[in-house]
Amino acid sequence: MTQKISVIMGVYNNVSTIRAAVDSILAQTYDNWEFIICDDCSTDGTAAILEQYAAQHPDRIVLLRNESNLRLAASLNRCLEVAAGELIARMDGDDISLPNRLEVQARYLAEHPEVDLVSTAMQRFSEEEGFADIVYASPAPDRFSLYKYTPFCHATILTYKRVYAALGGYTVLPRTARTEDYDLWARFFHAGFTGVNIPEALYLVREDRAAIERRSFRVRWRGYATVKVAYRLLDYPRRWLVRAWLITLIKSLTPFWAQEKYRNWQKRRFLKQKEK
C-alpha cells in the first residue's frame, strides 16, 4: 500500500494562477494524497476559487483560512497541524507540478529508506516568455551546503511528517519572511537528517517581474539575519559571514530591471544550448 501524501500550500492573492496550481495536483499519477490549502486572508478572489475546488473535491481538498495575513510560515504550520499523511509535499500557488512528480519522489523515498527528504530540479517559466532555464541543486547536499547555495528547492520537497515534527515545523519570525526554507534547512542538517535532489525538472516555477519584486531590500536583509542564525547553529566560522554579507549587499542594491534583464539572458542562453 502506498503511503499517503499530504500536499501543503499557503496562498495569498493568487487569483490568476491558483487554478493551474491546484489542477496540477489533481492531475497527479500518484493517487494516495490529500491537498491542504491555507488561504492567508486573500483579497482578490482566490478564496472563492478555492471554495469551489473544495466543494468539488471534498474527499481530497482541505481548505483553511487565516483571519488575518500571517505570511507563509504560519500558514504552512496550520497545514501541518491537520495533515494526515505520513509524507508531506510542498506546493506554491503560482507554480505547477508535473503529473508524475509525486510518484517519482515517493518511489525514491521508498527505495532509499536512509534518505529523509527528496527534492527535484525545477524549470522557470512565465506566461509572457514561456520556459526558461532549469534550476538544479547539488545531488547530495550536507550541512556545509548552506555556505554557498540553498540546498533544496523548497516548493518541490517531499519529506516525512516525522521530520517536520522533530523540527517543530517552520519558524515564524519577521526574519524568516521569505527565508523560512533557509531556516528550515539549517535546523534540518543540525538535527542530522539527510536529503537528496533528483535531477529531473518535475516542477515549474513561475518567474516574472512580480516574483522578482517580492525580493525587496528589506526582505534581503531580513534574510541575512536568518543566515547569521543558521551559521551559528551549524558552527560555521564567523569569517564566512563576510561572503554572505557581500552577496546580500549586491543583490539588495541591484535594481529590479537589472535582475529581470539577467533572467532574460539566462533564458536565451538556455534556449541556445537546447538547440545545439
Side-chain angles (χ1 to χ4, degrees):
M1 181 177 178
T2 57
Q3 292 180 301
K4 186 172 186 177
I5 296 176
S6 295
V7 183
I8 63 173
M9 181 170 75
V11 297
Y12 176 69
N13 286 356
N14 295 128
V15 68
S16 64
T17 62
I18 192 63
R19 292 186 187 277
V22 175
D23 287 344
S24 76
I25 297 299
L26 292 173
Q28 291 296 302
T29 57
Y30 191 92
D31 189 57
N32 191 12
W33 56 264
E34 64 174 359
F35 199 2
I36 305 174
I37 308 170
C38 182
D39 177 69
D40 197 17
C41 206
S42 294
T43 60
D44 67 344
T46 298
I49 295 174
L50 292 174
E51 287 170 0
Q52 294 174 3
Y53 275 103
Q56 294 169 0
H57 306 276
D59 58 333
R60 290 286 203 178
I61 296 177
V62 178
L63 181 58
L64 310 174
R65 183 170 172 81
N66 295 334
E67 294 183 0
S68 60
N69 184 254
L70 301 178
R71 307 296 293 262
L72 181 59
S75 297
L76 293 179
N77 282 343
R78 287 203 65 196
C79 293
L80 289 171
E81 289 174 1
V82 301
E86 299 171 77
L87 297 170
I88 305 291
R90 277 280 291 111
M91 181 68 196
D92 278 340
D94 49 2
D95 299 336
I96 296 172
S97 288
L98 296 190
N100 63 334
R101 175 201 161 187
L102 296 182
E103 180 181 359
V104 171
Q105 290 181 276
R107 184 188 311 121
Y108 188 94
L109 287 181
E111 294 175 352
H112 299 84
E114 74 282 3
V115 174
D116 300 301
L117 178 151
V118 60
S119 172
T120 81
M122 60 185 186
Q123 186 166 22
R124 293 190 178 102
F125 82 103
S126 69
E127 300 294 347
E128 299 79 13
E129 302 291 336
F131 293 108
D133 57 312
I134 296 176
V135 180
Y136 296 99
S138 173
D142 58 28
R143 63 183 292 116
F144 294 105
S145 298
L146 275 80
Y147 174 56
K148 292 186 177 180
Y149 50 79
T150 301
F152 307 107
C153 299
H154 182 211
T156 76
I157 66 168
L158 178 69
T159 187
Y160 293 94
K161 188 176 182 180
R162 60 172 173 78
V163 171
Y164 274 110
L167 299 178
Y170 291 91
T171 301
V172 181
L173 289 172
R175 68 168 175 81
T176 58
R178 300 200 67 79
T179 56
E180 58 279 319
D181 55 339
Y182 195 94
D183 177 85
L184 185 70
W185 309 143
R187 293 183 290 120
F188 178 88
F189 287 120
H190 180 257
F193 290 119
T194 60
V196 301
N197 289 297
I198 295 176
E200 297 177 71
L202 301 176
Y203 192 90
L204 304 180
V205 59
R206 196 178 302 271
E207 187 75 15
D208 52 18
R209 182 62 181 262
I212 292 173
E213 291 182 353
R214 284 195 291 268
R215 304 181 185 106
S216 65
F217 184 91
R218 174 181 288 186
V219 166
R220 296 285 190 190
W221 285 103
R222 282 182 173 177
Y224 177 67
T226 295
V227 170
K228 291 194 292 184
V229 171
Y231 279 27
R232 286 198 299 269
L233 185 65
L234 297 174
D235 295 322
Y236 285 4
R238 287 182 61 85
R239 66 179 183 276
W240 286 10
L241 279 172
V242 175
R243 177 180 181 274
W245 184 87
L246 287 172
I247 291 174
T248 302
L249 179 65
I250 292 170
K251 288 184 175 180
S252 64
L253 295 178
T254 302
F256 294 138
W257 65 264
Q259 296 179 46
E260 187 175 28
K261 190 172 183 178
Y262 174 69
R263 289 293 187 220
N264 291 335
W265 173 80
Q266 286 182 310
K267 179 193 174 184
R268 290 193 297 271
R269 184 183 64 172
F270 170 76
L271 293 176
K272 287 181 180 178
Q273 292 174 342
K274 192 175 181 180
E275 291 172 357
K276 292 181 180 179

